[in-house]
Amino acid sequence: MRQKLMVAALVLITAAYAWGLGWIVWGFWRAGGGIGIGLALAVLVLLVLTVWVTWREVLFGLEAGGLARRYAGTAVEHEEPREEFEAARAHLESAPGAEEDWRGWFRLALAYDALRDRRQARAATRRAIRLAREERAGARS
């Protein structure tokens, strides 16, 4: 619950920031002239990037949270992060069909996270999200 409140607070802060940028854009635009319009367009790019990045991160968090709830029933096999990482990677490389199973990729993401390799953890989570979407789309067809 604490994490949800933190995310909500950060989204509200970002919304206030976007509102302020919008007013700055409006002011530059109304000032007119080449420089005013140029500055308005430059600040508008910052506004669009702010909204886009925030939207992507919130969606990523929601989808990763959904996968975490679905994965919750699966226990971690090893207590040492390095052993769990090796086991998760070996499972993906050796088990038939594991490359296309989101659970294996999510397990690998958790192992990367335990090793504090956030970049690889996010990449593995993105792949798990994509595979879970494909699985849901295949189930609907």
Side-chain angles (χ1 to χ4, degrees), residues 13-29 39-52 54:
I13 290 168
T14 303
Y17 174 75
W19 179 263
L21 283 179
W23 274 107
I24 291 170
V25 167
W26 178 247
F28 281 139
W29 189 265
L39 287 171
L41 293 175
V43 175
L44 183 64
V45 168
L46 288 176
L47 174 61
V48 169
L49 282 173
T50 298
V51 171
W52 178 71
T54 302

Side-chain angles (χ1 to χ4, degrees), residues 120-133:
Q120 293 295 338
R122 287 180 71 82
T125 303
R126 278 191 210 99
R127 180 129 185 214
I129 289 169
R130 184 179 53 80
L131 291 171
R133 279 184 193 155

Side-chain angles (χ1 to χ4, degrees), residues 61-108:
L62 289 172
E63 291 179 3
L67 288 185
R69 282 187 294 281
R70 289 172 59 191
Y71 186 78
T74 309
V76 175
E77 293 180 15
H78 304 282
E79 291 199 20
E80 284 296 316
R82 177 58 64 182
E83 290 176 9
E84 176 59 22
F85 170 74
E86 294 298 333
R89 196 172 70 187
H91 172 74
L92 278 176
E93 292 172 354
S94 64
E99 281 283 322
E100 299 304 316
D101 183 23
W102 69 266
R103 289 162 194 83
W105 284 100
F106 196 72
R107 177 183 177 192
L108 183 64

